[in-house]
Amino acid sequence: MTKPIALLDLGAQLSRYRDRALAAMTRVVDASEFIMGPEVARFEAALAGYVDVPYAVSMSSGTDALLAALMALDVGKDDEVVTTTFSFFATAGVIARLGAKPVFVDIDPGTFNATGAALQAALTPRTRALLPVHLFGQMTDLGDLWSSSPVPIIEDAAQSLGARLHGKPTGHFGSMAAVSFFPSKNLGGFGDGGAILTRDERLAERLSILRVHGSKPKYHHHIVGGNFRLDTIQAAVLEIKLEFLEEWSTGRARNAALYDQLFAESGLIDRGLVKTPTKSPGSNHVYNQYVLRVENRDDLQKFMSSRGVGTAVYYPIPLHLQQCFSYLGYNDGDFPNAEAACKEVLAIPVYPELESDSIRRVVDEISAFYRL
Ligand SMILES: Cc1ncc(COP(=O)(O)O)c(C=O)c1O
């Protein structure tokens, strides 16, 4: 029996930091300081330094980071926030939770990201923010809109920490960028976590108040916030793991390049059976996911599973067709690029420690499926 290949094997990286992470967790336990404290402050400083922004405000999750970012802009009832229909649910869920209206746009079929033109075309007098998503680890290139947008831009950078566009990292473009430390993200914690990156001192201050129920000092509530704090134990672990992030991103990009080469050599692309990810010019993709577009996706996925290769579909249903958003009145056919992507996308293993033999085997298995 051939060895299974997981979509993501976090165990493969564990030996790099296991002892240090456990020692850091022990320190937090021994100090019995589980909320905020120096570990959180140190991690925030390290994260801000990594992306070269003055402020990183840690949060309890990527979802809460997005929610707090919208709250910091006072987004609420009767407001519209324009975003992509092809993303993880949280991107739109946070807009709806504040009583605002998610306004969806279609994606570019190559990069899977919304375009600046599409986001701009959806602006109305009610638009309070744009929420582009840097899907799968590649930044959305909004071109001039980054600086000319009439409303603040929040980057959903949950999947793109470490990615760059024209040399500048995620977090440098919008008013705020929300990142996630969900364990499967390129920088994953030992549980949930998130952060907001910003260059704006006023927003950083507001976010740090919002994450403690809007209070400063304690028990004096100026605004209604929430409990959006990152656990101290997570901060202690993430500070250590951050040291490896560049190396891991390089490993992911190396694996992606080998896939690109092997798929090109396989003939699958020429035969129109497989399409490898499109890189937008000037962008450093960090491949949180390596996502193919394939013919006969569901059968291929079953075949790969029978061959012991882990794959995943991100995402099977676009946001505008989710049942909970039926009140928005969108229909099947409204965003054909995203709807087609939902039927064709398949993420294959790309984690940094994946060996080249395994990469070759993944491509061989896909070739075998189409020869059946
Ligand atoms: C694009 C996107 N936005 C938001 C989130 C929410 O992050 P979290 O799971 O940390 O709440 C995720 C990750 O799950 C995501 O992939």
Side-chain angles (χ1 to χ4, degrees):
M1 176 68 188
T2 40
K3 211 171 96 197
I5 304 173
L7 178 64
L8 173 65
D9 181 3
L10 286 172
Q13 54 166 239
L14 194 57
S15 64
R16 301 296 301 282
Y17 53 77
R18 186 179 181 280
D19 293 348
R20 285 174 67 200
L22 291 180
M25 291 168 81
T26 303
R27 269 200 313 279
V28 174
V29 171
D30 287 344
S32 294
E33 221 186 315
F34 299 109
I35 304 294
M36 303 307 284
E39 279 82 4
V40 174
R42 267 207 322 270
F43 170 60
E44 289 179 333
L47 182 65
Y50 173 68
V51 281
D52 195 22
V53 292
Y55 308 101
V57 184
S58 59
M59 294 276 160
S60 33
S61 68
T63 305
D64 287 343
L66 286 169
L67 185 68
L70 292 172
M71 289 170 80
L73 298 175
D74 273 326
V75 169
K77 201 170 163 301
D78 297 330
D79 293 334
E80 294 178 356
V81 177
V82 183
T83 191
T84 166
T85 188
F86 191 57
S87 181
F88 178 62
F89 179 76
T91 309
V94 292
I95 303 169
R97 282 168 63 188
L98 293 174
K101 180 178 168 190
V103 174
F104 295 117
V105 301
D106 207 355
I107 52 165
D108 173 86
T111 64
F112 301 116
N113 283 328
T115 63
L119 291 167
Q120 193 156 20
L123 285 165
T124 75
R126 291 188 168 188
T127 310
R128 288 296 309 278
L130 300 180
L131 183 36
V133 179
H134 305 318
L135 204 66
F136 305 141
Q138 171 159 249
M139 294 193 59
T140 300
D141 191 352
L142 298 189
D144 292 344
L145 191 59
W146 287 121
S147 52
S148 67
S149 170
V151 293
I153 300 177
I154 300 170
E155 301 173 53
D156 183 335
Q159 303 182 7
S160 66
L161 187 60
R164 290 180 180 77
L165 181 63
H166 307 304
K168 282 204 259 172
T170 281
H172 270 259
F173 293 84
S175 319
M176 289 171 275
V179 299
S180 163
F181 306 125
F182 184 79
S184 67
K185 298 297 192 274
N186 289 13
L187 178 62
F190 286 1
D192 279 307
I196 299 180
L197 310 166
T198 183
R199 287 163 295 140
D200 185 321
E201 185 182 2
R202 196 190 58 84
L203 284 172
E205 167 73 4
R206 201 166 155 78
L207 291 163
S208 62
I209 294 174
L210 276 166
R211 81 174 158 191
V212 287
H213 289 292
S215 70
K216 189 183 180 184
K218 211 172 179 182
Y219 305 126
H220 292 71
H221 300 266
H222 307 274
I223 42 178
V224 177
N227 174 358
F228 301 143
R229 292 178 302 252
L230 178 70
D231 285 343
T232 307
I233 280 187
Q234 298 300 342
V237 170
L238 288 163
E239 186 190 358
I240 294 163
K241 289 191 72 179
L242 180 60
E243 288 175 27
F244 299 93
L245 182 58
E246 276 298 292
E247 180 191 325
W248 287 333
S249 298
T250 304
R252 286 171 179 276
R254 182 192 59 233
N255 292 343
L258 183 55
Y259 273 131
D260 287 349
Q261 181 202 324
L262 295 175
F263 279 117
E265 290 167 4
S266 72
L268 293 168
I269 298 176
D270 292 340
R271 289 163 61 206
L273 298 166
V274 167
K275 197 170 172 307
T276 49
T278 305
K279 275 186 73 174
S280 65
S283 113
N284 285 56
H285 200 319
V286 290
Y287 296 98
N288 179 237
Q289 302 294 343
Y290 185 92
V291 176
L292 300 170
R293 294 183 78 128
V294 296
E295 276 278 308
N296 204 0
R297 193 261 320 272
D298 294 346
D299 286 345
L300 172 61
Q301 186 174 33
K302 279 190 210 120
F303 175 81
M304 295 301 274
S305 168
S306 76
R307 302 293 302 151
V309 179
T311 62
V313 173
Y314 305 118
Y315 298 93
I317 304 173
L319 294 169
H320 70 282
L321 298 180
Q322 293 290 349
Q323 195 183 344
C324 65
F325 291 138
S326 59
Y327 69 94
L328 294 170
Y330 288 104
N331 293 307
D332 208 350
D334 282 348
F335 301 121
N337 292 343
E339 289 164 21
C342 288
K343 297 188 177 85
E344 295 170 11
V345 286
L346 192 67
I348 58 175
V350 72
Y351 60 90
E353 300 79 12
L354 189 66
E355 288 172 359
S356 53
D357 283 354
S358 299
I359 294 174
R360 286 174 204 284
R361 208 187 112 211
V362 172
V363 178
D364 287 346
E365 298 288 8
I366 293 175
S367 301
F369 169 77
Y370 288 110
R371 275 200 300 271
L372 289 177

